[in-house]
Amino acid sequence: MARPKEFDRDAAVERAMSVFWLKGYAATSTDDLLRAMKIGRQSMYDTFGDKRRLYVEALKRYSEERIAEHIRRLRSPVSPLAGIEALVLGLIFSDRAAREKGCMGIGSISEFGCSDPELAEDRAKNAAVLRKALLERLREGTACNRNRRDH
């Protein structure tokens, strides 16, 4: 009979994401991940498959969180222009430790370029989501300006 998992999967992915974000994929060893995630080797393989699958999951989480933050900032201010300004300013992490790690997405592009179809596809999907939200806000701003001129 298989033992139940004795760790929080989400917390483990979050910890793995932090290591990959800091070191990148190639420079992160399995031992680095196991120490950070506080799980055993077999648990990692049973739960995530391998280092690459864990990286893909961690990168997806990072990307989803960042895109959600970008869109929240874009939509939160009253005026479209203020929303766009909040989006641009929000691209820079306010937390020094996060800022020093850079962008995990850019790190992924630096390591893999377009050679990994799965990562390239995820990147394209995320870009499309953000582009759509930005275009909506730009259209809203254009409509507001048009309405002001018409009155």
Side-chain angles (χ1 to χ4, degrees):
M1 183 168 154
R3 288 180 24 195
K5 288 192 179 25
E6 297 176 5
F7 64 93
D8 180 332
R9 188 181 199 290
D10 285 337
V13 172
E14 193 74 27
R15 289 188 204 103
M17 181 180 75
S18 185
V19 176
F20 284 129
W21 185 4
L22 179 64
K23 298 178 83 172
Y25 177 78
T28 299
S29 70
T30 301
D31 287 338
D32 292 335
L33 293 167
L34 297 176
R35 275 191 301 278
M37 293 167 41
K38 301 176 182 165
I39 64 174
R41 188 173 301 273
Q42 195 59 50
S43 291
M44 187 188 100
Y45 289 119
D46 288 347
T47 304
F48 302 104
D50 60 18
K51 176 183 160 183
R52 185 185 180 289
R53 296 293 345 134
L54 177 56
Y55 177 77
V56 169
E57 185 170 338
L59 181 60
K60 283 182 181 184
R61 175 174 295 187
Y62 173 88
S63 298
E64 289 169 2
E65 288 174 0
R66 294 296 294 158
I67 295 293
E69 289 172 22
H70 294 332
I71 291 173
R72 180 189 52 75
R73 281 192 303 277
L74 180 65
R75 292 179 176 161
S76 65
V78 176
S79 81
L81 184 58
I84 293 166
E85 179 182 36
L87 168 68
V88 172
L89 292 175
L91 294 173
I92 303 167
F93 287 103
S94 58
D95 174 69
R96 181 180 178 184
R99 203 170 44 249
E100 288 175 351
K101 289 193 287 189
C103 174
M104 187 176 175
I106 298 298
S108 173
I109 293 168
S110 297
E111 281 196 82
F112 294 97
C114 296
S115 67
D116 187 307
E118 182 178 13
L119 297 180
E121 182 180 334
D122 285 344
R123 192 168 45 249
K125 285 179 186 175
N126 290 329
V129 169
L130 187 55
R131 185 179 310 111
K132 180 179 181 225
L134 181 56
L135 287 172
E136 287 170 0
R137 201 63 165 152
L138 287 168
R139 286 185 189 110
E140 181 184 343
T142 302
C144 287
N145 284 339
R146 194 174 297 129
N147 288 338
R148 275 192 229 135
R149 282 193 319 250
D150 292 342
H151 288 97

